[in-house]
């Protein structure tokens, strides 16, 4: 619908999840838009030219997406992203030098490309374990950074141009994590967080097929761990060859996980 200047009112379906880049850009007379509550992926250019967008101030949300901040921002501003927000759009708060800090909810799953680029006053940020993806250059040229903490060791981080984390930052992350890998070559000072107990993972048990034991899958906030890298499994069998329990042992020499547990493959009950 780009550049449709006759469009004044828009009704979107309630189950809409995604709005593409520039979908309504140039719709300068579009004033009324409903905001479906389930939208969780959206580019901040999708409706930025509309009257709906320009009539708003402060943090702008659309469904579960944080799109932008409009209006003057005072010095030493600290923002709190509302609960239920799933994503921060690309360039959402880029070039806001007055922004000192921001608090993310545990519902957040992704931070878009260059979302906080050139926020030169940004000092201390904690990225929750729920965040599974950080876009390229998300904190590019945030030259005032003191500390940035990434709590999900399996977070997918786009390392194009190696500009995700500014070189002056103190990066707190887990050993062997994707954040530590992404910081290579960026001159960040890296500090390691404590190991994570393997028993805190989400466990899924598959179905035994023939003589093969059921597949035991571990995940952390939706990100799957890799057997042989993050953990190893050994099975115990009944006399007829049916696997009845599995012992999972963290591989702390190649991952940030530690500890072990045994799980009953029929009941899912975990024991030490």
């Amino acid at each position: 619908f780009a550049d449709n200047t006759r469009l004044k009112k828009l009704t979107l379906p309630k189950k809409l999840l995604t709005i593409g880049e520039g979908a309504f850009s140039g719709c300068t007379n579009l004033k009324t838009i409903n905001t479906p509550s389930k939208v969780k992926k959206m580019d901040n250019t999708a409706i930025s030219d509309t009257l709906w967008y320009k009539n708003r101030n402060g943090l702008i949300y659309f469904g579960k997406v944080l799109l932008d901040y409009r209006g003057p921002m005072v010095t030493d501003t600290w923002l709190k992203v509302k609960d239920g927000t799933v994503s921060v759009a690309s360039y959402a708060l880029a070039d806001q030098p007055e922004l000192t800090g921001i608090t993310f909810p545990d519902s957040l799953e992704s931070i878009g490309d260059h979302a906080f680029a050139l926020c030169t006053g940004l000092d201390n940020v904690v990225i929750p374990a729920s965040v599974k993806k950080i876009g390229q250059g998300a904190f590019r040229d945030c030259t005032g950074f003191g500390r940035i903490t990434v709590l999900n060791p399996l977070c997918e981080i786009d390392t194009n141009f190696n500009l995700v984390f500014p070189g002056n930052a103190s990066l707190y992350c887990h050993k062997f994590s994707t954040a530590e890998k992404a910081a290579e070559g960026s001159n960040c000072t890296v500090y390691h967080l404590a190991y994570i107990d393997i028993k805190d993972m989400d466990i899924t048990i598959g179905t035994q097929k023939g003589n093969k034991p059921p597949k035991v899958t571990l995940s952390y906030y939706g990100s799957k761990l890799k057997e042989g890298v993050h953990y190893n499994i050994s099975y115990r069998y009944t006399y007829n060859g049916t696997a009845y329990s599995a012992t999972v042992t963290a591989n702390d020499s190649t991952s940030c996980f530690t500890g072990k547990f045994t799980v009953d493959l029929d009941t899912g009950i975990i024991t030490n």
Side-chain angles (χ1 to χ4, degrees):
F1 297 92
D3 300 320
N4 186 338
T5 56
R6 293 174 296 176
L7 187 62
K8 296 181 179 181
K9 183 177 180 179
L10 178 65
T11 302
L12 298 169
K14 293 180 179 179
K15 295 183 179 180
L16 186 66
L17 299 177
T18 303
I19 298 177
E21 181 178 355
F24 302 97
S25 63
C27 296
T28 53
N29 291 311
L30 180 55
K31 185 177 182 179
T32 304
I33 312 174
N34 67 317
T35 55
S37 61
K38 294 185 178 182
V39 173
K40 61 180 181 179
K41 185 177 180 181
M42 183 175 177
D43 191 275
N44 76 337
T45 64
I47 57 173
S48 57
D49 296 331
T50 66
L51 288 176
W52 181 94
Y53 198 85
K54 292 179 179 179
N55 286 339
R56 279 158 172 75
N57 286 299
L59 289 173
I60 300 177
Y61 297 91
F62 197 99
K64 299 179 184 295
V65 183
L66 171 58
L67 286 180
D68 200 352
Y69 184 97
R70 282 186 57 82
M73 188 180 290
V74 299
T75 304
D76 295 332
T77 292
W78 191 293
L79 297 175
K80 181 178 181 181
V81 180
K82 72 178 182 180
D83 292 341
T85 301
V86 170
S87 65
V88 178
S90 298
Y91 295 94
L93 279 89
D95 198 13
Q96 295 281 7
E98 298 83 5
L99 182 63
T100 301
I102 188 163
T103 301
F104 297 116
D106 289 335
S107 58
L108 192 69
E109 296 180 2
S110 67
I111 297 174
D113 296 346
H114 310 285
F116 298 94
L118 295 168
C119 289
T120 53
L122 201 57
D123 178 47
N124 191 339
V125 170
V126 176
I127 300 175
S130 57
V131 173
K132 294 180 282 189
K133 184 175 182 179
I134 301 174
Q136 62 172 289
F139 297 95
R140 175 177 59 85
D141 294 329
C142 293
T143 54
F145 246 128
R147 175 171 177 165
I148 182 167
T149 303
V150 180
L151 293 178
N152 188 343
L154 307 177
C155 180
E156 178 186 344
I157 300 176
D158 190 335
T159 56
N160 285 337
F161 311 115
N162 208 2
L163 296 172
V164 175
F165 306 121
N168 54 290
S170 294
L171 174 63
Y172 287 74
C173 62
H174 294 95
K175 192 175 182 180
F176 305 114
S177 67
T178 54
E180 182 181 48
K181 181 68 175 177
E184 291 179 358
S186 68
N187 296 318
C188 284
T189 302
V190 177
Y191 300 90
H192 290 139
L193 300 172
Y195 277 74
I196 303 172
D197 195 323
I198 198 76
K199 292 194 297 293
D200 293 336
M201 302 302 101
D202 293 323
I203 304 167
T204 302
I205 301 172
T207 303
Q208 179 155 344
K209 297 180 180 179
N211 293 326
K212 292 184 178 180
K215 181 74 173 178
V216 177
T217 304
L218 305 183
S219 60
Y220 187 65
Y221 286 91
S223 299
K224 288 186 178 180
L225 280 67
K226 294 181 179 179
E227 184 179 351
V229 176
H230 300 116
Y231 63 95
N232 297 305
I233 297 182
S234 60
Y235 294 91
R236 295 185 69 184
Y237 295 87
T238 61
Y239 68 92
N240 63 359
T242 301
Y244 69 89
S245 72
T247 297
V248 179
T249 305
N251 193 343
D252 56 15
S253 63
T254 57
S255 79
C256 65
F257 300 100
T258 188
K260 64 186 291 187
F261 65 86
T262 298
V263 57
D264 186 299
L265 296 175
D266 288 325
T267 65
I269 295 175
I270 294 173
T271 58
N272 293 329

